Amino acid sequence: MPGVGPKSAQRIAYWMLNSDRETVLRLADAIVEVKNTVHFCSRCFNYAEGELCEVCASRRRDESVICVVSEPRDIAAIERTAAFSGVYHVLGGALSPMDGIGPDDLHIAELLKRLADTDVREVVLATNPNVEGETTAAYLARLIKPLGIEVTRLASGLPVGGDLEFADEITLGRAIESRRPL
């Protein structure tokens, strides 16, 4: 399992061997239940138990702003900030020609259909700040801008509590470019 190294796997195995049968069976049942009940939202491709995820089903969200992310786990990170009140669209990855991932392998066509069918005023591109994420953001911006929709990108820069001397050149350069007045 991703994120579980050999030592953690060993601790989990020992915990299961030392636990009573009912506890382990409850865990197994819970895993099976998650696999049987959780699927992708029909609108945004986030994880959902119903047809729509919690965000898409909420009437409190601003549907005129769509934040485009690579994976459902990115939504969780943004939601923890409590700084975004719009809705999301999950691509299911990022463009990566080296890995054979092209536009047809992602939920880009569904995003464009969504933009054509709704009154969206802004698309926030929140892909990762790496080569694949930047490529994906640039590709999407070229597709979306002609539709007359504002396209924005998450600012990137220095972490709070970081020291300038330890920042890499790209991060420091972006922090300078994205500076704002006080």
Side-chain angles (χ1 to χ4, degrees):
M1 292 172 39
V4 178
K7 287 184 180 181
S8 294
Q10 184 179 41
R11 282 193 294 273
I12 293 168
Y14 284 136
W15 172 83
M16 286 194 304
L17 292 170
N18 290 319
S19 295
D20 61 271
R21 179 176 173 77
E22 291 76 27
T23 300
V24 175
L25 289 176
R26 278 196 313 272
L27 174 61
D29 289 343
I31 292 170
V32 170
E33 183 177 345
V34 165
K35 194 60 179 168
N36 287 336
T37 60
V38 177
H39 55 273
F40 291 115
C41 174
S42 63
R43 184 178 299 158
C44 76
F45 303 97
N46 185 14
Y47 294 125
E49 290 184 47
E51 181 181 342
L52 297 177
C53 69
E54 288 182 10
V55 174
C56 288
S58 173
R59 297 193 183 274
R60 292 192 224 168
R61 304 303 288 229
D62 181 358
E63 294 186 10
S64 70
V65 181
I66 297 178
C67 181
V68 177
V69 297
S70 296
E71 300 292 342
R73 65 178 168 254
D74 300 329
I75 293 175
I78 293 170
E79 285 295 292
R80 280 193 302 271
T81 71
F84 182 71
S85 61
V87 294
Y88 296 93
H89 187 87
V90 179
L91 295 173
L95 295 174
S96 180
M98 296 293 287
D99 295 323
I101 301 172
D104 294 339
D105 300 310
L106 305 176
H107 296 293
I108 293 173
E110 294 88 344
L111 172 63
L112 296 176
K113 181 176 181 347
R114 206 171 156 191
L115 296 177
D117 293 346
T118 58
D119 292 325
V120 175
R121 64 177 169 77
E122 179 184 2
V123 172
V124 180
L125 300 176
T127 54
N128 289 325
N130 56 24
V131 173
E132 294 83 6
E134 294 293 337
T135 301
T136 304
Y139 179 79
L140 290 174
R142 282 197 312 272
L143 293 176
I144 297 168
K145 282 183 182 179
L147 303 175
I149 298 170
E150 180 182 13
V151 179
T152 59
R153 181 90 168 109
L154 290 184
S156 56
L158 301 171
V160 173
D163 292 328
L164 290 180
E165 68 180 301
F166 299 118
D168 63 275
E169 293 82 12
I170 294 173
T171 301
L172 189 53
R174 286 188 181 162
I176 292 169
E177 290 169 3
S178 299
R179 67 189 184 276
R180 58 191 165 105
L182 294 177

